[in-house]
Amino acid sequence: MEDALMTTTIEKAVAWAQTGSMWPDTFGLACCAIEMMSIVSSRYDIARFGMERFSSSPRQADLLIISGRMTHKMAAPARQVYDQMLEPKWVIAMGACASSGGMFNNYTVLQGVDKIFPVDIHVPGCPPRPEALMEGIVRLHEKIRAGVPPAYEIRGVAE
């Protein structure tokens, strides 16, 4: 009956609006950034998700896409960008280096960005194809529509 009458709840309407108007803030650090940039092309067309505006200001973004290897020196600026984002906010770690340090197991590369802030979606690959990032975005939208809270509410904010 709910589908026939097109009734909904406030929570479902807000989740639908959040997924249809996400503004990503990109933090491209390495080769994954090239693949991330290609999702705005006509072939992948991220505009169909309402995400065509890549924000250069963290105060106007609600999705942070970390693509590539994060060094210890870049951790503080990345955390500052994350802290300046308005809530609710989500994070996608794109690539093996952002998720786990990748093949760079040395003193300069952070072994996963989840050490500085909570991550909602990990996109595997080295570098992951644009289709993989699109799949990660779709999975994030599914989580939001299902009512799953952002990772910082579940796990708390890393310090």
Side-chain angles (χ1 to χ4, degrees):
M1 178 142 166
E2 183 178 306
D3 293 335
L5 295 176
M6 298 194 47
T7 60
T8 188
T9 63
I10 296 292
E11 291 82 15
K12 287 181 182 178
V14 168
W16 173 80
Q18 286 174 337
T19 58
S21 63
M22 243 181 218
W23 287 356
D25 187 0
T26 58
F27 210 88
L29 298 165
C31 46
C32 293
I34 302 301
E35 300 292 330
M36 178 185 57
M37 285 185 264
S38 67
I39 65 170
V40 297
S41 68
S42 60
R43 180 174 188 158
Y44 303 106
D45 191 25
I46 198 168
R48 64 186 153 169
F49 297 112
M51 299 174 70
E52 66 270 6
R53 184 183 180 277
F54 275 28
S55 179
S56 57
S57 169
R59 290 182 176 90
Q60 298 173 350
D62 50 5
L63 171 64
L64 181 61
I65 302 175
I66 303 289
S67 57
R69 59 187 175 269
M70 176 76 68
T71 61
H72 287 281
K73 200 176 251 192
M74 286 303 295
R79 179 57 194 229
Q80 184 177 9
V81 167
Y82 178 79
D83 288 340
Q84 290 176 354
M85 291 172 61
L86 297 175
E87 293 181 5
K89 53 189 167 189
W90 297 273
V91 177
I92 293 179
M94 181 182 175
C97 294
S99 297
S100 65
M103 64 184 130
F104 303 101
N105 189 9
N106 58 33
Y107 66 96
T108 60
V109 177
L110 191 67
Q111 300 301 304
V113 296
D114 55 347
K115 299 209 183 335
I116 54 174
F117 38 72
V119 176
D120 293 285
I121 300 287
H122 292 274
V123 178
C126 183
R129 300 272 311 140
E131 293 91 351
L133 180 57
M134 295 295 281
E135 178 70 20
I137 290 169
V138 168
R139 297 283 179 204
L140 179 62
H141 286 177
E142 289 172 355
K143 284 177 71 171
I144 294 169
R145 285 193 184 124
V148 177
Y152 66 88
E153 289 182 9
I154 297 171
R155 291 184 280 282
V157 178
E159 302 212 11

